[in-house]
Amino acid sequence: MKESFVSIQDLTLTHQHKSVLKDLNWTINTGEQYVLFGESGSGKTSLAKIISGQLCAIGELKVNFDNNSHLPAEVLFVESWYQFKNLEGVANFYYQQRYTSQQAKDTLTVHAELVSYGKEKGLHLDQVEPILEALNFASFASSQLIELSSGEHKKLQLVKALWLKPQLLIIDQPYTGLDAASRKNLNLLLDEVSEDGVQLILISNDTELPTSINRFAEIKDGKIGMSHAKAATSVSVEKDLKEIPDFLKESPLYSSEEIVKMVDVNISYGEKQVLKKINWVVKAGEKWLLQGHNGSGKSTLLSLVNGDHPQSYANELYLFGNRRGSGESIWDIKQHIGLISPEFHWYFDASATVWQSIASGFYDTVGLFQQLPYSKSQQVDELVDYFGLTGNKNELLTSLPLGKQRLVLLARTIIKNPELLILDEPCQGLDQQQTQHFNQLVDELCSNGMTLIYVGHFESQLPTCIEKRILLEKGEVKVVESLNTQTRHCEARSNLV
């Protein structure tokens, strides 16, 4: 009888006195290509870390590598977030550093990172070129790691994994931050490596998968069970929302009718021009969708709006009625804004509790460093209750499942009832039900007249309140348009970006 490729018996994992995996059993045979799914916090990532040797657990685990295979006898786990380091080996960055070119020189370029990885793994550089082209990543060779967006970091992880071609490749949320074209090409690349003998475990709730996927497994109540493909898709169900807190029913106090005004804005890094003659006006109360392929300039555009980009002073940029550089500080600007972005989430204070994380939104800090007056403490308590986080309020933010972490950050962004809410791919990594619930909350919270800029690739995964769209392509404005129900429906079917 042929030995199974992966054998797991009676695997048990407890985290912070909570049972995550309970006597889990799983057998993976040669040639089986899996999608692993389950609710947020069910233990998917923990199981992947156990299989790859990054996490210890009680039980028996055996990976039977093929000694006759030309592929490396290795389990490679691609995490949902890539933790890079600077040239001195330090990984402690703050998210504004991405836009400061002088500090960006502290990190390797993409090319240097690939050269280092190839040398470490004994790989040839010429073999990585087709992968870079397929994922539209070749043009980023000279970019510093700290300059990359979340989607671009994901591509770098995937490039290295597909280049290595280990015998077992586990990818956590493979499509996170990728545009439609990149997702399609990634599936083709995954099919290619599977034909070459790589076995896949994709941790994903997505429905557009490689054709090589032939098995589906679900973690539920700490155990794993086999499933049919149809069961891997979440059923769309709207949740009943609690009544919104009174202090958020009032319209924000607007300081200007124009929230953002850009006139022929240009941003360059050396010879590389990232934004070219951007003209854009966002008026109070408008709900905008910002779209574009990976590398189109979306994150840089938002960094101007959020006050983080140093080149804003060299451009004609007006925020909340004042020209940038007229004497206001970055903190003056942030008082008007509530923000969620993948980078901000990554660099958030790991020592903050749920309550502290929400309260920090009053002061635009990444943790709470002062005591709140009674009135503000009451508002935090109201939001904790509104978002269903009462049982978690004293827990560390980082200890929560991803879906709840995003709810905490949403609560943090709206605690001061800001004039402008910037949500940069806020549902990245969430499943269908979590995304729908999150956007349902956004619709409710923005009903008081709050201005919204929302970044999302899929038209079918957006708040219904979106009314206008700006599309970037290679740093230029390609489309500015008003959206109606019919337009949204057509674009939802095309999913162009």
Side-chain angles (χ1 to χ4, degrees), residues 396-447:
L396 292 179
L397 174 67
T398 52
S399 72
L400 300 185
L402 181 61
K404 283 194 173 182
Q405 288 188 41
R406 291 290 163 75
L407 292 182
V408 173
L409 291 182
L410 179 58
R412 179 192 179 278
T413 65
I414 53 90
I415 186 69
K416 59 186 178 182
N417 199 10
E419 297 170 56
L420 174 61
L421 191 61
I422 300 177
L423 302 181
D424 183 1
E425 297 194 57
C427 298
Q428 196 176 92
L430 304 188
D431 62 30
Q432 183 180 337
Q433 286 189 359
Q434 292 169 332
T435 297
Q436 183 183 27
H437 179 54
F438 186 96
N439 287 330
Q440 192 180 351
L441 288 165
V442 171
D443 280 327
E444 181 78 7
L445 293 166
C446 286
S447 63

Side-chain angles (χ1 to χ4, degrees), residues 44-58:
K44 305 183 295 295
T45 299
S46 296
L47 179 58
K49 288 183 176 181
I50 293 169
I51 297 174
S52 61
Q54 297 182 28
L55 188 64
C56 294
I58 299 172

